[in-house]
Each structure stands twice: as C-alpha cells, then as structure tokens.
Amino acid sequence: EIVLTQSPGTLSLSPGERATLSCRASQSVSSSYLAWYQQKPGQAPRLLMYGASTRATGIPDRFSGSGSGTDFTLTISRLEPEDFAVYYCQQYGSSPATFGGGTKVEIK
Amino acid sequence: QVQLQESGPGLVKPSQTLSLTCNVSGRSINSGGHYWSWIRQHPGKALEWIGCIYYNGRTHYNPSLKSRVTMSVDPSKNQFSLRLSPVTAADTALYYCARSLCYAGSCYSDSWGQGTLVTVSS
C-alpha cells in the first residue's frame, strides 16, 4: 500500500501568514488522486481538496493544492483564525486508500 | 444536503462482533453515483479506511481488515452497516461513516458523519 508522509508534524504560524503543508507518497499516486482534509477537535474531517488541486464545495480560495507523482502541497495563502486545525492528505489512486499522519497548524 | 449519523454499541467485548449502522438523510442511497464508506480513527492517531459499499451491494474492503469485515446496505431504510468480527482492543477507535467517490476500489469522502466511539474491552 502507498505510505503518505506529511511534513512538518506541527506548523506554528500567526493569523495572516502563509502555510505550506507537504505530503510525500512512497510511490506515484495514480492520476493525482490526492485529497486533503481539515479536522478540528471533536469534529469529523472536512474535505478541502480532491484531484490534488480541485477545491471541494464551499472551500474558500485561500486554500490551494498542487503536485503530482509523489509530491503534493496544500497552501493556505493567509491563515484565518478558523484555519488552525489538523490537516490530512489521502491518496485514492490505488487500493487501499491511505491517509498521511497529519500536520497540525497551530497559533504561534 | 446529505447528512450521515452513526449508531451502535459503544462497548464491545473482545472476540465479539462490532456492529454499526449509518443512517443517511438528504439523499437516497439508491440514487447512485456515490459509494458509502466506513473510516476509523484510533485515539490521537491518523485515519484508516475500512471499506465501502455501493447501493447494489458491491463492496471494496481494506485488505488488512478484509477477513473480518462485512458491509451491507438497506436502500429501503436508506442505511448501510458495518460488521467487524472478531474484535480486539486494537479495534478501539472512533468510527465514521461517509459518502464517497471511488476509483478502482479506492475512495475519497465528501460528507462525513460525526463519528461514534467504540471501545473494545471486557
């Protein structure tokens, strides 16, 4: 199965700053079938991106995704207070679908 | 807007069967186009995809759990279910049901239930 490694484990930033989250796959992700989720404490994950770069319904355009093959990035252009959360990447290009270990974006 | 709600026992004894049901509202399971998934999250840890089912009963399971997992769907009740047996303490987790889009047996999920905690303990 494909192993996803997310870095950094924790990102300490201030509101208004730019956040860059990395997701690296142990082998190429077919057709860029890579999704990103946001999870806040006590809540279910929320789909942010799919197909590596397509925003899900209702996701603000400060969120963007890029990458292909084995290297993918989620960028939050200007952090809003509600963006401080844990972010997971997931590949669904090969079975089984697998998730990364998460990056926590915390307030500095 | 689709909504999903998990239900089932919060405590299961080791070697017994974990059974959960997901009630779907706002969209008919029969309408097609989506699979219906189960995903779990061990305490403080990352997510694990368990498997998914289509309205016609077609399933895809995570190979690591396949020997212990059974999923079923009841379109008349707009519900789908998960059975995991036998369970051990390692199956203690928060279990989510979700609506998914799948490609060659692998899925991402665009709507999630709130999750239900299942503890395996005697």
Side-chain angles (χ1 to χ4, degrees):
Chain A
E1 68 180 44
I2 294 179
V3 176
L4 298 178
T5 302
Q6 292 187 242
S7 61
T10 302
L11 200 50
S12 298
L13 295 167
S14 300
E17 289 193 293
R18 182 184 187 89
T20 303
L21 288 67
S22 173
C23 177
R24 179 162 289 179
S26 60
Q27 53 189 284
S28 184
V29 176
S30 174
S31 302
S32 294
Y33 284 162
L34 194 287
W36 289 94
Y37 300 87
Q38 176 193 70
Q39 187 176 35
K40 297 179 180 178
Q43 296 185 16
R46 172 195 182 196
L47 178 68
L48 297 176
M49 315 286 301
Y50 61 93
S53 60
T54 301
R55 276 187 297 275
T57 302
I59 302 303
D61 59 7
R62 64 179 181 273
F63 290 91
S64 63
S66 63
S68 63
T70 60
D71 289 298
F72 298 87
T73 300
L74 176 71
T75 301
I76 310 170
S77 59
R78 288 177 55 87
L79 282 164
E80 297 287 341
E82 63 267 28
D83 299 336
F84 292 91
V86 179
Y87 293 82
Y88 293 98
C89 60
Q90 180 208 15
Q91 69 79 24
Y92 54 98
S94 66
S95 188
T98 52
F99 293 85
T103 290
K104 182 180 182 179
V105 179
E106 65 175 23
I107 300 177
K108 185 175 181 180
Chain B
Q1 180 177 348
V2 65
Q3 292 186 322
L4 302 99
Q5 178 68 59
E6 306 88 350
S7 62
L11 181 64
V12 182
K13 289 181 168 47
S15 81
Q16 295 194 345
T17 300
L18 179 159
S19 295
L20 296 174
T21 296
C22 183
N23 187 70
V24 179
S25 58
R27 180 185 171 94
S28 171
I29 283 181
N30 266 341
S31 60
H34 289 88
Y35 276 75
W36 304 91
S37 295
W38 290 96
I39 299 140
R40 68 183 183 181
Q41 186 168 33
H42 294 98
K45 296 191 176 180
L47 298 147
E48 181 180 28
W49 179 74
I50 300 171
C52 61
I53 188 165
Y54 202 51
Y55 76 94
N56 62 4
R58 182 176 185 181
T59 55
H60 300 287
Y61 297 146
N62 190 321
S64 69
L65 298 167
K66 186 174 184 177
S67 64
R68 299 192 293 129
V69 169
T70 304
M71 293 184 185
S72 59
V73 61
D74 187 343
S76 67
K77 295 182 179 179
N78 224 35
Q79 293 176 339
F80 62 105
S81 298
L82 168 70
R83 287 171 59 88
L84 181 65
S85 181
V87 296
T88 70
D91 294 309
T92 293
L94 187 58
Y95 285 76
Y96 293 102
C97 62
R99 186 182 74 171
S100 302
L101 291 103
C102 301
Y103 302 88
S106 195
C107 315
Y108 73 95
S109 300
D110 64 356
S111 295
W112 296 60
Q114 65 183 25
T116 188
L117 179 64
V118 178
T119 302
V120 178
S121 175
S122 55

